[in-house]
Amino acid sequence: MVLRWFSPRQLWLAILAWPLVMPQAVLAQTVSLAVVQDEANQTQWPGISRRLQAMDIAYCTLNRETFTPQTLPNPAQTVLLLVNIPALDVTQAMALEAWMQQGGRVIVTGNTGSLSPEAVQTQLQRLLGATWGFPLSTSAALELNGDWAVNTLPLSTPLQGGSILPTQSESRVLAHWRTQRPTPAIVTSANSVFLGWRWGNDQIAGVNTDVAWMQTLLQRYGSPARAGFNNARPCSAPTTPPLITTLRPDREPVRTTAPAATPAAPTVRVPPTLQPTNPLPMGNPEQGEGVIHDRNRVMATAPTLLRSRYQELTALLNRYESAVIAAEAQGINEPFQTTIERVRQRSQPPTPAPALQTARDHLNTFLTLIANQAFPDAEAQSRQLQGYLWDTYPMERAIAYPETRAIWFDRGTIVQAKSPQDLARLFDRLAEAGINTVFFETVNASYTIYPSTVAPEQNPLTQGWDPLEAAVKLAHERGMELHAWVWLFAAANQRHNEVMGQPANYLGPVLTQHPDWIATDRQGNPYEPGSGKVFFDPAHPEVRRYLLGLIDEIITRYGVDGIHLDYVRYPFQDPNLNQDYGFGLESRRQFSRQYGVDPLTVRPSDPLWPRWTQFRIAQISSFVEEVHNAVKPKHPEVLISAAVFPMPTQTRLVRLQQNWEAWLQAGHIDLLTPMTYARDTRQFQALTQPVIGHGVNSGTLLMPGIRLLQLPTVVALDQVQLLRDAATGGYAFFAAENLSLNLQTTLNRTQGRRTAQHPEPVAHRRPFQAAHLRYRALQREWQYLLTTGEIQLEPAALEDWGNYGDRLETSLANLASSPSSSNLRQAQTALRSLRTYLSRPERRTMTSNYRQQVWENHLMGLEHLLRYGAQQKLR
């Protein structure tokens, strides 16, 4: 399992030439530098000063603590220089945004912004078009991209730098590091340049090197103003009155110039812990979209950073509300119609849950501060609201929501166990956490975890016992499923060689015997530099027979519940950087027979290049089909799953040749686990949404992956809640070695252990029962919202809702107890009727947009479970 934090945009290096010829208007401008001083670059300041003096450029200095729009000099005549400042706060990010909105240009160096708060990092990435990614392990020289060339630049000088990752579509990579796997070193956008080393640091580069680069980059903005005798002075603000934002009665923002004689309006201060005296109307759900429209008009007046904060907070609050509602609704046991009748006869006004009301009050205060343009106080209030939501996130009460709760059980954890007794303690922890499915790493870099008659060698660190045999027994004793996790086409691993005490270039036990099975790069190198892995040639028929034999052995001998396929792809590639893979001898022979050309001679610009890409895609997809055809006729109860990359389809096909959409469409995969690893829920949602969109109409259940390494417990729960709101088949945690005691305890309280007394069905094994219980959970949420007054309907509408709802509940109960095609059709008909009823315009206004979408997701999730169940149980 490869762990990569790279976003798809980071995988698209825009190798474009930087214009050498500058417009005459730019060349005619004279610019100076405004250099920001900070504690972080104070020890480097002598070196920075020497370089500025050697450049003979006029510059002034700003203190980071007083870095505000009022202190910045004229943006038309000055270039801002942020030198190696890892932590910028909200105020400074807002000042930078104001500067750049007025046409200000900026040059950024080193790890600037990398330790800023998450919201600030997001803002900087948007403004600068790039971000500090990671430090290089060794020094490297620079290489210019495209045909842009400057003879005076010291390109051969090795520097200790870092990778700069483009973050906007218009970002351009000016230069990259000359490493095994080239990575961006300098990234430019319309008004910014980001250098991938700590400029001014004598330990990194000499004065001449830094000066040459800075002088060249400054030419982009105009001719440097000479220093003369007045240099290193504090920066002064322009004398022109600054632009301010005013708010008309209709709350539309207007840009005006402040009169010189008019004093600034006083800042409205509202204590963050108090409800404002004139709050904005938050509105009950039945008020419809008018209140939401007011919110949007208010937020239109806010700085970009606060608008981004508002979006993050409302998204978090929506998930928080979902978690609170699910927990509060668990105690409801009466039928849906009984609740409706009680609500119709209610005489006293309902009261919402205190936790929800408090959170909404905090958001109301935030919006009021925005309306009053008290932006610093609004930022403080947003932090308080976020803290409240995280501190009170539901983590104590159990919920009933049948789903697949999987975890990858990694080889390292297996090796450390050393015995069935040690393994039993680990499986006890998983069972206590409510895990019901274990992906047990069975084949890694061609080593099996068990003594095999097909593979040449068992992992030496597990010889003397059979971990797979023990794991199957332990899982089944605890009511869990055991799926064998198999590396398919990744056949050797340099990191594994190091652990095993083997030479770094060891090809593993299989490829050492069969070197003709290797898929090399264009130059014949077997190892992928980025991961240190060697891959099988998927086109080789003997490779396919070997892997199918291994899978059959695992299923037949051990009675596993599923086969989990990993590395179902080629190595990472970037044709723009001449990084191509898949040139195994057999692939070259087959392609040559089909097209009369050796693929070694085919380049990305050739007409045959798409055919070569499609040839490799077909090798992967056809093997997935072979696995399905080999397993299902003999073992129909064994499920086939795959770990896949969630990057956009076209990028994935070009870089990995992994077309999992086709596998879903063909019905060759039962469960799909996209590796949607993210450090926060916002990134997690961005990764999961496209995958869910692709899979919703298939018969395959989706279980997005959540990476636990360094992930706070509450964020892990929040990502799980996002998936529940999206009504996926479940989730998969990566990995067992990162399951903390805190998360285990929390999951035990919220998910619980499957026992004979609480045999909650696993979604992928009993889909019809899971669909029935999921619908009852949704009904309980409706009952809770009706009871608390969150939903208010006329009596006739309540009666219709109850009738539609009961009809679906009855049909799902019948299908769960007696699966048949006729019962399935009745359930599907009742489900369509309820979805149609809830989609009527008059029903769309009875709750918030988000809650309405969650309901629709749950009903679509039921439809998905029924489709999956028909494929698994009724085919």
Side-chain angles (χ1 to χ4, degrees), residues 483 561-565 624 627-629 631-632 638-642 668-672:
H483 296 218
D561 302 289
I563 293 293
H564 181 65
L565 308 178
V624 172
V627 172
H628 177 272
N629 294 341
V631 171
K632 289 299 183 177
V638 173
L639 299 182
I640 302 172
S641 60
H668 295 152
I669 295 290
D670 301 304
L671 311 174
L672 192 77

Side-chain angles (χ1 to χ4, degrees), residues 320-338:
Y320 174 87
E321 289 187 352
S322 294
V324 170
I325 292 169
E328 294 284 343
Q330 287 305 301
I332 299 176
N333 296 313
E334 67 185 15
F336 191 34
Q337 286 283 12
T338 303

Side-chain angles (χ1 to χ4, degrees), residues 827-857:
Q828 290 171 329
T829 300
L831 178 55
R832 283 193 296 270
S833 298
L834 180 59
R835 289 183 65 185
T836 301
Y837 170 77
L838 290 176
S839 66
R840 294 175 184 172
E842 63 271 21
R843 301 282 77 81
R844 301 292 298 181
T845 60
M846 65 184 182
T847 187
S848 67
N849 277 347
Y850 184 81
R851 195 62 43 213
Q852 190 82 28
Q853 185 60 57
V854 169
W855 297 353
E856 176 63 14
N857 290 345

Side-chain angles (χ1 to χ4, degrees), residues 555-772:
I555 296 173
T556 303
R557 189 197 297 184
Y558 292 97
V560 296
D561 302 289
I563 293 293
H564 181 65
L565 308 178
D566 198 6
Y567 290 98
V568 200
R569 59 176 179 84
Y570 281 85
F572 274 95
Q573 300 142 65
D574 191 336
N576 291 324
L577 295 179
N578 198 30
Q579 295 174 350
D580 306 323
Y581 287 91
F583 298 95
L585 295 176
E586 183 61 29
S587 286
R588 291 170 60 191
R589 277 195 290 265
Q590 291 185 25
F591 188 83
S592 296
R593 282 199 298 268
Q594 289 184 44
Y595 299 103
V597 175
D598 188 335
L600 276 178
T601 66
V602 179
R603 299 289 177 173
S605 58
D606 294 340
L608 275 179
W609 181 259
R611 300 289 181 89
W612 171 235
T613 300
Q614 189 57 47
F615 172 86
R616 289 173 293 167
I617 293 171
Q619 305 313 309
I620 301 297
S621 295
S622 63
F623 185 73
V624 172
E625 181 180 8
E626 284 188 28
V627 172
H628 177 272
N629 294 341
V631 171
K632 289 299 183 177
K634 295 170 59 178
H635 311 281
E637 75 288 351
V638 173
L639 299 182
I640 302 172
S641 60
V644 299
F645 279 88
M647 63 180 64
T649 304
Q650 192 56 40
T651 303
R652 181 172 8 97
L653 295 181
V654 170
R655 296 184 61 85
L656 301 172
Q657 292 79 56
Q658 187 180 74
N659 189 11
W660 49 257
E661 293 91 341
W663 314 345
L664 269 58
Q665 187 176 6
H668 295 152
I669 295 290
D670 301 304
L671 311 174
L672 192 77
T673 55
M675 294 176 285
T676 46
Y677 307 145
R679 290 167 288 185
D680 61 69
T681 310
R682 177 182 54 82
Q683 295 175 335
F684 183 68
Q685 182 175 14
L687 290 170
T688 55
Q689 276 185 331
V691 177
I692 294 171
H694 282 297
V696 70
N697 294 318
S698 73
T700 301
L701 292 188
L702 304 180
M703 303 186 307
I706 298 173
R707 190 190 193 212
L708 297 180
L709 180 64
Q710 299 180 345
L711 193 69
T713 293
V714 68
V715 178
L717 294 181
D718 191 46
Q719 293 187 6
V720 169
Q721 185 60 53
L722 175 74
L723 297 182
R724 288 173 178 162
D725 281 357
T728 64
Y731 62 81
F733 283 144
F734 187 87
E737 65 175 338
N738 304 126
L739 179 65
S740 67
L741 182 60
N742 186 29
L743 179 57
Q744 174 197 329
T745 304
T746 302
L747 292 174
N748 176 255
R749 290 195 297 262
T750 58
Q751 297 181 167
R753 179 173 185 161
R754 293 179 74 242
T755 63
Q757 293 74 30
H758 301 283
E760 188 176 67
V762 180
H764 66 253
R765 193 58 68 181
R766 297 172 62 196
F768 296 145
Q769 291 84 349
H772 178 224

Side-chain angles (χ1 to χ4, degrees), residues 244-271:
I244 64 171
T245 303
T246 61
L247 196 66
R248 287 179 175 170
D250 60 1
R251 291 179 178 168
E252 292 298 331
V254 180
R255 299 288 287 178
T256 62
T257 301
T262 303
T267 302
V268 179
R269 299 279 178 179
V270 180

Side-chain angles (χ1 to χ4, degrees), residues 501-580:
Q502 295 282 4
N505 61 352
Y506 178 56
L507 295 175
V510 175
L511 291 180
T512 298
Q513 297 181 13
H514 303 281
D516 58 317
W517 291 7
I518 298 174
T520 69
D521 67 6
R522 191 181 295 275
Q523 290 74 37
N525 301 314
Y527 280 97
E528 179 196 13
S531 68
K533 293 182 175 66
V534 183
F535 280 66
F536 286 124
D537 181 356
H540 204 300
E542 293 182 19
V543 168
R544 290 171 173 249
R545 280 193 292 270
Y546 168 75
L547 293 173
L548 290 173
L550 203 57
I551 290 170
D552 183 70
E553 177 185 55
I554 293 168
I555 296 173
T556 303
R557 189 197 297 184
Y558 292 97
V560 296
D561 302 289
I563 293 293
H564 181 65
L565 308 178
D566 198 6
Y567 290 98
V568 200
R569 59 176 179 84
Y570 281 85
F572 274 95
Q573 300 142 65
D574 191 336
N576 291 324
L577 295 179
N578 198 30
Q579 295 174 350
D580 306 323

